[in-house]
């Protein structure tokens, strides 16, 4: 009934720095994850993974580390309540073509102190700068017989909708900003924790570890990790979505049986 | 999720349903929504709770020969059709982002109206009893249009020889409500069977419960199959408490006068209807919300 999970991908770790002249002179960052495959289990308290890394800094200038973790992109539908004749009614659904299902940043200082607005925007670092796909022109798409309005990034209410996506996702702990999330445990050695809530989407995640010096990105290390869900609740979820009709019949049979059992039990007493 | 609280909730609602002889769906869905469970999931999951409590009800009514399976079958056939239509309608509304509105509006309209009527009728009866007045003679004549329609059938247990169309239509209407509100529809069925169809009072509750089982079972399967909104864990937790609570409620119900019980039930129904409708008039804390049905 439940298909076997695909084999885990090999743990992807940034290549070990070579002992060349460049290593000794360049400012570099290297990082790795404790687990490249994360299993979010059925108790649904989520999962926590640790990212650790090292900064090679032969210069005198201080550096800042920013960790960005992005989950798989997916479309987002939103509605907005508006007041019509005294009633609060939902608007027609509005569609963003793609937004990360998970997004977090952890850094040594607040992002605005590390680099300026333009730099963060260009790199897509920080929830206020993350890329949410929206075409230039507003249009409608029809899915399941319902017409959705696709948000245009030039529309006047684009920012309201964008902020709403971020706010709602932050409330669900899917988007997160931790200005003190990167901690140096020793000279040049740092660690950051990535908290994945139970509702985090499954799939391939990308982690970027940026090294900033004087507001400029000087080095980056890219990592990937895979998030999978396991356990009884996950299996029920899979069952409900793969075999929805059998699932429905099972629920009804269980319910009828419980009712019958209760009436038998209480008549005896 | 806080499952001990859910067991307790199931038990309390079960107790109320046993006490008043109702399915209790109209009470369960609003409480679940209040607890933060999405309305679509609450409505679909607790339909199975209604299946369980109605099953134990029908068993005991069958033993008392108080179920008319013939008229119940006609109503259930209508109910299955109504459930099919209702689930499709609910699916469309959900994708449109209007499921919450449909739920709120139907609770306000139907529960508000039925609650008011029940309260008015039962309070009147209590007042007359207290003053020692003689109860007015009940009109036992059925509306004539019941006889003008084709497809007449005999329903000996209910003491009826009427067209099959009104019970079929009544069942279909309850089926639509069952899909949208997650209720069995007893609060509509019982008064309609008593005052419109004029069935023998003794078989009304048992027969309506039989129809409710068929319709809520159908609704659960359809909601799971089409909308994937049934949460089996939530459903099982609720009905564990529910079936136990219902037995104790049923034991206690004999201690109260029927008109007092009806007045209390009317009050609860009215309050739930107003509470659910209130949502449409209060400014929400966040104007934005995620809409379901994101394409994979």
């Amino acid at each position: 009934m439940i298909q076997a999970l695909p084999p885990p991908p090999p743990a992807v770790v940034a290549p070990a720095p070579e002992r060349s002249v460049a290593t000794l002179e360049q400012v570099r960052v290297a990082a790795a994850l404790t687990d490249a495959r994360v299993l979010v289990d059925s108790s649904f308290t989520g999962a926590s993974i640790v990212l650790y890394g090292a900064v090679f800094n032969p210069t005198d200038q201080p550096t800042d580390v920013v960790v960005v973790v992005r989950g798989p992109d997916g479309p987002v539908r939103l509605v907005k309540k508006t007041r019509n004749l005294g009633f609060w009614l939902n608007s027609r659904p509005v569609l963003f073509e793609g937004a990360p299902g998970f997004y977090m940043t952890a850094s040594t200082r607040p992002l605005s102190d590390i680099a300026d607005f333009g730099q963060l925007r260009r790199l897509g670092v920080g929830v206020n700068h993350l890329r949410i796909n929206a075409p230039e022109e507003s249009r409608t798409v029809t899915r399941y017989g319902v017409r959705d309005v696709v948000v245009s990034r030039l529309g006047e209410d684009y920012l309201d909708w964008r902020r709403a996506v971020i706010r709602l996702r932050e409330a669900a702990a899917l988007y997160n900003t931790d200005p003190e999330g990167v901690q140096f445990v020793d000279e040049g050695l740092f660690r950051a924790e990535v908290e994945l809530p139970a509702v985090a989407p499954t799939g391939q995640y990308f982690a970027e570890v940026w090294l900033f010096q004087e507001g400029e990105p000087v080095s980056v290390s890219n990592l990937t990790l895979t998030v999978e869900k396991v356990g009884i609740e996950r299996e029920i979820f899979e069952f409900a979505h793969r075999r929805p009709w059998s699932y429905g019949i099972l629920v009804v049979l269980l319910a009828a049986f419980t009712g019958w059992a209760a009436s038998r039990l209480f008549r005896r007493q | 999720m806080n499952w001990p609280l859910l067991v307790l909730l199931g038990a309390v609602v079960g107790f109320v349903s046993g006490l008043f002889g109702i399915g209790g769906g109209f009470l369960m869905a609003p409480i679940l929504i209040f607890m933060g469970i999405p309305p679509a999931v609450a409505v679909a999951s607790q339909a199975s709770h209604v299946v369980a409590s109605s099953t134990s009800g029908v068993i005991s009514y069958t033993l008392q020969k108080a179920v008319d399976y013939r008229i119940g079958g006609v109503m259930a056939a209508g109910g299955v059709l109504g459930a099919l239509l209702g689930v499709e309608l609910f699916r469309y509304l959900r994708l449109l982002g209007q499921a919450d509105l449909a739920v709120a509006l139907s609770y306000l309209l139907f529960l508000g109206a039925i609650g008011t009527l029940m309260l008015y009728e039962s309070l009147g009866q209590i007042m007359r009893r207290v003053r020692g007045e003689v109860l007015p003679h009940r009109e036992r004549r059925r509306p004539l249009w019941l006889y003008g329609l084709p497809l007449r059938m005999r329903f000996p247990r209910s003491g009826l020889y009427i067209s099959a169309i009104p019970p079929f239509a009544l069942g279909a209407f309850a089926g639509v409500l069952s899909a949208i509100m997650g209720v069995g529809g007893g609060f509509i069925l019982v008064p309609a069977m008593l005052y419109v169809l004029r069935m023998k009072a003794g078989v009304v509750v048992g027969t309506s419960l039989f129809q409710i089982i068929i319709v809520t079972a159908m609704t659960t399967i359809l909601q799971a199959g089409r909308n994937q909104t049934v949460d089996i864990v939530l459903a099982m937790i609720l009905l564990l408490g529910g079936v136990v609570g219902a037995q104790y409620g049923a034991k206690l119900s004999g201690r109260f006068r029927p008109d007092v019980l009806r007045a209390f039930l009317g009050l609860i129904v009215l309050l739930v209807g107003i509470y659910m409708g209130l949502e449409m008039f209060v400014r929400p804390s966040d104007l934005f919300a995620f809409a379901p049905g994101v394409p994979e």
Side-chain angles (χ1 to χ4, degrees):
Chain A
M1 231 172 301
I2 289 150
Q3 288 176 8
L5 296 166
V12 182
V13 176
E18 287 170 27
R19 284 275 161 206
S20 64
V21 183
T23 314
L24 299 173
E25 287 172 4
Q26 262 182 349
V27 181
R28 294 188 51 160
V29 63
L33 290 159
T34 47
D35 290 299
R37 182 165 167 249
V38 181
L39 304 176
V40 180
D41 86 346
S42 61
S43 56
F44 269 45
T45 46
S48 171
I49 46 171
V50 176
L51 183 148
Y52 55 90
V55 175
F56 303 93
N57 184 8
T59 65
D60 297 334
Q61 300 291 338
T63 53
D64 281 300
V65 177
V66 179
V67 175
V68 181
V69 181
R70 255 177 258 266
D73 265 25
V76 180
R77 290 177 92 217
L78 286 172
V79 289
K80 182 188 177 185
K81 287 229 193 292
T82 49
R83 203 179 156 96
N84 301 13
L85 303 168
F87 292 87
W88 287 97
L89 303 179
N90 282 342
S91 68
R92 188 178 279 281
V94 156
L95 189 76
F96 277 99
E97 287 184 324
F102 178 85
Y103 186 91
M104 67 148 281
T105 61
S107 47
T108 42
R109 286 192 289 161
L111 291 175
S112 53
D113 297 349
I114 293 174
D116 62 17
F117 185 90
Q119 194 67 264
L120 294 173
R121 177 57 54 101
R122 193 174 62 77
L123 300 172
V125 168
V127 279
N128 296 325
H129 304 291
L130 74 92
R131 290 184 190 101
I132 296 183
N133 277 352
E136 285 193 10
E137 268 178 52
S138 171
R139 58 192 166 84
T140 58
V141 287
T142 306
R143 284 198 172 90
Y144 316 115
V146 175
R147 281 196 342 168
D148 289 354
V149 180
V150 178
V151 180
S152 149
R153 73 178 117 110
L154 300 181
E156 54 184 33
D157 51 356
Y158 168 70
L159 278 178
D160 286 343
W161 289 104
R162 194 195 139 88
R163 272 197 290 267
V165 173
I166 292 168
R167 187 172 62 243
L168 291 170
R169 287 257 160 105
E170 279 179 336
L174 285 169
Y175 287 4
N176 196 7
T177 308
D178 188 350
E180 288 163 5
V182 174
Q183 282 158 356
F184 276 88
V185 287
D186 200 353
E187 176 80 34
L189 195 63
F190 65 88
R191 73 193 289 277
E193 261 175 54
V194 181
E195 297 281 347
L196 290 169
V199 288
T202 53
Q204 189 108 60
Y205 282 55
F206 297 94
E208 294 164 1
V209 183
W210 291 95
L211 192 68
F212 283 89
Q213 201 168 28
E214 294 180 321
E216 297 289 325
V218 288
S219 176
V220 64
S221 169
N222 288 297
L223 308 169
T224 58
L225 67 148
T226 311
V227 174
E228 290 163 18
K229 285 182 182 160
V230 291
I232 182 84
E233 289 201 17
R234 180 65 192 175
E235 284 173 16
I236 291 172
F237 179 86
E238 295 278 325
F239 178 35
H241 283 80
R242 291 222 177 101
R243 306 277 301 270
W245 297 99
S246 327
Y247 175 83
I249 292 167
L250 179 70
V251 174
V252 167
L253 290 179
L254 275 173
F257 173 77
T258 316
W260 172 80
S263 73
R264 281 298 295 267
L265 206 70
F266 278 85
R267 212 171 329 124
R268 289 245 177 88
Q269 287 179 357
Chain B
M1 224 183 302
N2 186 347
W3 71 267
L5 188 67
L6 287 172
V7 172
L8 189 71
L9 170 65
V12 169
V13 174
F15 181 78
V16 173
S17 78
L19 186 62
F20 297 117
I22 53 169
F26 79 93
L27 198 56
M28 185 73 95
I31 298 177
L32 290 177
I33 293 168
F34 177 74
M35 286 170 68
I37 290 165
V41 177
V43 160
S45 302
Q46 60 108 3
S48 61
H49 174 256
V50 180
V51 173
S53 55
S54 307
T55 302
S56 47
V58 164
I59 290 171
S60 60
Y61 282 108
T62 300
L63 296 175
Q64 299 162 28
K65 296 207 185 307
V67 182
D68 182 346
Y69 282 102
R70 202 169 152 85
I71 198 166
V74 171
M75 285 167 59
V80 168
L81 182 72
L84 275 167
L85 292 175
V87 169
E88 286 308 305
L89 181 67
F90 192 69
R91 176 181 170 78
Y92 182 72
L93 288 170
R94 199 164 100 86
L95 290 170
L96 212 56
Q98 301 298 351
D100 306 4
L101 175 71
V103 170
L105 207 60
S106 39
Y107 268 87
L108 182 65
L109 286 181
F110 294 114
L111 293 191
I114 295 285
T116 309
L117 282 175
M118 283 178 76
L119 204 56
Y120 176 77
E121 182 264 349
S122 54
L123 285 180
Q125 209 171 330
I126 293 170
M127 294 293 277
R128 279 194 295 273
R129 196 185 70 217
V130 170
R131 288 196 205 127
E133 288 172 23
V134 184
L135 295 181
H137 181 67
R138 276 243 182 98
E139 189 78 32
R140 281 292 297 173
R141 254 181 44 202
R142 298 184 184 101
L144 278 174
W145 54 265
L146 281 180
Y147 293 89
L149 293 168
L151 292 170
R152 286 177 71 173
M153 280 177 82
R154 280 182 199 284
F155 302 106
R157 271 207 183 155
S158 307
L160 290 179
Y161 179 42
I162 57 163
S163 160
I165 293 170
F168 186 86
L170 179 61
F173 181 62
V176 174
L177 288 189
S178 159
I180 292 175
M181 299 168 69
V183 297
F187 66 94
I188 297 273
L189 286 171
V190 171
M193 288 158 89
L194 272 176
Y195 302 118
V196 180
L197 300 182
R198 304 256 179 217
M199 282 170 64
K200 270 187 198 159
V203 295
V204 164
V205 175
T207 307
S208 78
L209 283 178
F210 169 67
Q211 127 93 5
I212 286 167
I213 292 181
I214 305 289
V215 170
T216 46
M218 192 68 193
T219 310
T220 305
I221 294 171
L222 288 170
Q223 295 281 27
R226 286 292 279 162
N227 295 336
Q228 279 130 40
T229 43
V230 176
D231 184 334
I232 197 170
V233 180
L234 175 66
M236 287 304 130
I237 288 173
L238 288 178
L239 53 89
L240 272 184
V243 290
V244 177
Q247 302 289 337
Y248 286 101
K251 276 181 192 166
L252 200 72
S253 70
R255 295 206 194 160
F256 296 97
R257 284 174 182 275
D259 49 7
V260 175
L261 277 179
R262 271 210 308 285
F264 268 112
L265 182 58
L267 189 66
I268 294 174
V269 168
L270 183 60
L271 289 178
V272 170
I274 291 172
Y275 169 76
M276 290 292 283
L278 218 56
E279 178 206 326
M280 292 184 295
F281 302 100
V282 177
R283 189 190 165 85
S285 53
D286 194 335
L287 293 181
F288 294 86
F290 285 126
V294 170
E296 294 292 322

